[in-house]
Amino acid sequence: MAVTPLVAAPAAFAANADVTSVSTYGDGTLSVGLNDGDALWIKISVRASATADAPVLASTDALHYDSVRGWLTEQPISLPSGTGYGDYPVDVDYRLPGGTVQHWAGADHGTSGLLDYRLHTSVTAVSFDRDHTDFDNRTAVLNGTVTTFDPATAISRPADAGTQVRVDWPSGAVSTATTVTTAGATGAFAAPVTAKGALSGGGDAVVVGAGPDTTVAEGTSLPALPAETTRYRISADPSATRVHKGTTFTVGGTVQRLTADGWKPFAAAPVVTTTGTPDTTGYTTPGLLGSGTSDSTGTFSYKATVTTSTYHRTYVKPSAYLENSPYAENYVHVPTAGSISGLTASIDQYGQVKASGKLGGACIDEPVALQYSKNGKTGWSTLVKGTVGYPSSGKCAFSLTAWGYIDGYYRVSHAETDAMLAVNSATKRLHRTDTRFTSFDMTPHNPKASAKFVATGKLQYKSGSTWKGYKGANLVLVFKPKGDNTWYWVVKGKSGANGSFTFKGDQYGYYGDGTWAVYLNADSTHFYSESKTVYVNVR
């Protein structure tokens, strides 16, 4: 039958403060919110509409008091056959101890005074298909049943096939909600879920998408689903402790899990390498450098990439299924670029090379080396090594000294270290002209103490592959007395046109027994050289 829209209640049906509302339950029973549980008599009457003279469709005074729901009808409310689904006003007549019969007209109280005469559909049973989840088995299926109560027949039956149920999962599930439909004629549904860990109680399953003739009950609470955790241990070794920025290295190792039979290979474990320690709260992997999966023997190997020097930790990707989160920690060095500036280099007349400059970058205590090459391109050899000190204005000073060569190329080199990439200075050519004494003698050979001496000899320089007489060289004649360790200069002079020289002791004779020699007091372009020594025994 058609339901007349609600209209204003007649004045004769005045409200009474003792009744607060009427409520319809999913099994078709109706409760009266009457404050006094000691009422002597209560009767409810369902009217066809809100008009004052609307006929009564059903009535009953068979109610009992329930401490939670108030005064509850003994049986579901049944309206005459053919009555349409909808909302119908409910009148309540009651008498309290010591009082008179009171009347409460539902039409005066809006939705609080109506019988909900519709199909009532609800999820009536839920359970999981397993008693727990674990690391290897994280998916469980929630099975449930949806039931529909029809007030027209006062019978509960399975919900129609295709009824939709939304499952609001508790914390620990991968998703927050899943919508499924009932199948067949049993009202059953199945909702799979892949959990992140233990599922606590608190979620619910509720019918959704019901039509206008159906009232949906509140959701049915889901049971808890515990999670079994796994304890593991891990070892890992990187293939390199130093790599260049952006290049890869290999992380390899083994992982084991604790079982009832002891430690066993942890197969199919998702292993990660990150710059941080395991996140056991949000289960994220910030600073991820690489990842892989262990094989059946618990062995893993994968590539990792870094851009800066850092500690890196290798562990099983965190989850609520792991009892602990150990990790293997290693350090990888990513050397940075350096520079060599302000290089000065010189070679003195004795062949000693001095080089100084500054090393820039991560230079503290970094090694440098003075190197030589004959052609300045290949065959570089290290002459001496050194270490820079602490930086000043971002650079570390160095000074290196070594014996060099007659002609060649020199540079300062920094070999790659954990802190800094390899870097070489500019190349500098250093050279001087080689010299030699081809002869030297003192006469007379057996002098008296008063005899005048004559020192003679010849000096040459090398031009290309040819030795030539060295004209105009500054020479010094020296003498070392017998029993003395000190040389004393006697006379200075220059070489002649063909490099020959003669020093005469016209003003003085031999000093006595001793050793004589001559050396080149070299200029800035020639190497030092000295003659052979001549011993003179004075009579």
Side-chain angles (χ1 to χ4, degrees):
M1 62 180 290
V3 178
T4 304
L6 295 178
V7 296
F13 291 161
N16 188 285
D18 292 322
V19 176
T20 57
S21 65
V22 294
S23 302
T24 309
Y25 290 95
D27 60 358
T29 58
L30 186 141
S31 69
V32 176
L34 180 60
N35 296 333
D36 196 332
D38 295 326
L40 300 177
W41 175 74
I42 296 178
K43 176 183 179 182
I44 59 100
S45 301
V46 181
R47 292 184 174 275
S49 70
T51 59
D53 57 350
V56 174
L57 300 179
S59 64
T60 181
D61 59 1
L63 289 85
H64 66 276
Y65 184 72
D66 182 279
S67 60
V68 176
R69 296 188 289 182
W71 289 91
L72 188 66
T73 60
E74 300 284 354
Q75 299 295 326
I77 301 301
S78 179
L79 301 184
S81 177
T83 302
Y85 297 124
D87 295 317
Y88 295 91
V90 177
D91 291 344
V92 180
D93 295 291
Y94 62 96
R95 180 183 169 204
L96 301 179
T100 60
V101 174
Q102 303 294 314
H103 183 76
W104 183 86
D108 297 340
H109 298 276
T111 58
S112 297
L114 301 176
L115 169 70
D116 180 7
Y117 191 74
R118 292 181 177 82
L119 299 173
H120 287 264
T121 300
S122 62
V123 177
T124 54
V126 288
S127 63
F128 284 106
D129 67 338
R130 55 188 312 124
D131 58 7
H132 72 274
T133 56
D134 55 42
F135 187 91
D136 302 305
N137 304 283
R138 305 188 188 192
T139 299
V141 179
L142 179 73
N143 295 306
T145 302
V146 183
T147 301
T148 296
F149 174 80
D150 188 348
T153 61
I155 295 175
S156 292
R157 58 175 174 78
D160 296 336
T163 299
Q164 291 188 324
V165 177
R166 186 187 71 240
V167 181
D168 293 311
W169 301 105
S171 60
V174 170
S175 56
T176 57
T178 300
T179 300
V180 294
T181 57
T182 58
T186 63
F189 67 88
V193 61
T194 301
K196 295 179 181 178
L199 297 179
S200 61
D204 59 20
V206 61
V207 175
V208 294
D213 291 337
T214 301
T215 294
V216 174
E218 294 182 356
T220 298
S221 181
L222 305 185
L225 183 63
E228 184 179 275
T229 57
T230 293
R231 185 177 184 84
Y232 79 92
R233 63 187 182 186
I234 189 169
S235 63
D237 291 301
S239 62
T241 57
R242 183 202 305 162
V243 297
H244 289 178
K245 180 179 180 180
T247 59
T248 61
F249 63 99
T250 301
V251 178
T254 58
V255 59
Q256 294 179 314
R257 67 193 303 178
L258 186 61
T259 70
D261 298 322
W263 290 101
K264 299 294 182 181
F266 195 167
V271 184
V272 297
T273 297
T274 70
T275 57
T277 55
D279 173 13
T280 56
T281 302
Y283 308 125
T284 60
T285 53
L288 181 66
L289 303 179
S291 62
T293 303
S294 62
D295 62 19
S296 59
T297 66
T299 301
F300 58 87
S301 178
Y302 51 83
K303 299 294 184 182
T305 304
V306 290
T307 58
T308 186
S309 297
T310 183
Y311 281 100
H312 56 90
R313 290 90 176 180
T314 301
Y315 49 91
V316 177
K317 184 178 180 182
S319 81
Y321 287 103
L322 298 176
E323 179 182 337
N324 61 333
S325 294
Y327 56 86
E329 183 176 77
N330 295 282
Y331 195 87
V332 61
H333 300 272
V334 180
T336 56
S339 64
I340 297 177
S341 61
L343 179 69
T344 61
S346 63
I347 186 169
D348 66 15
Q349 63 176 326
Y350 305 108
Q352 191 173 66
V353 176
K354 293 183 179 180
S356 62
K358 294 182 177 180
L359 177 65
C363 60
I364 299 177
D365 293 331
E366 286 295 287
V368 288
L370 178 60
Q371 295 184 328
Y372 162 82
S373 168
K374 185 176 182 180
N375 59 18
K377 297 179 181 179
T378 59
W380 289 97
S381 61
T382 296
L383 302 180
V384 67
K385 295 180 179 180
T387 303
V388 301
Y390 282 83
S392 174
S393 300
K395 295 184 178 181
C396 301
F398 61 82
S399 180
L400 300 169
T401 302
W403 295 107
Y405 294 81
I406 294 172
D407 190 357
Y409 295 83
Y410 299 84
R411 71 182 185 185
V412 173
S413 177
H414 171 275
E416 181 179 309
T417 63
D418 289 343
M420 186 183 293
L421 295 169
V423 60
N424 297 315
S425 71
T427 300
K428 288 186 177 293
R429 182 188 178 192
L430 300 177
H431 63 95
R432 283 176 176 251
T433 301
D434 198 9
T435 62
R436 69 181 182 182
F437 286 91
T438 58
S439 63
F440 172 66
D441 198 7
M442 298 291 293
T443 57
H445 288 168
N446 297 295
K448 293 181 180 180
S450 60
K452 308 301 182 181
F453 66 79
V454 177
T456 59
K458 187 174 183 178
L459 176 68
Q460 292 181 325
Y461 73 93
K462 193 171 187 180
S463 176
S465 60
T466 304
W467 288 95
K468 297 180 180 181
Y470 186 178
K471 177 184 177 181
N474 295 312
L475 303 176
V476 181
L477 179 66
V478 292
F479 171 68
K480 182 174 70 171
K482 181 180 179 180
D484 198 339
N485 291 323
T486 302
W487 289 92
Y488 301 92
W489 72 271
V490 178
V491 65
K492 298 179 181 179
K494 291 182 179 292
S495 59
N498 63 353
S500 298
F501 60 87
T502 299
F503 296 123
K504 294 182 179 181
D506 293 337
Q507 299 177 3
Y508 42 82
Y510 284 101
Y511 297 137
D513 295 345
T515 304
W516 295 80
V518 65
Y519 70 85
L520 169 64
N521 188 9
D523 59 17
S524 62
T525 63
H526 290 77
F527 281 110
Y528 167 88
S529 62
E530 59 188 34
S531 71
K532 68 178 182 178
T533 59
V534 175
Y535 185 80
V536 176
N537 185 18
V538 179
R539 292 180 292 170

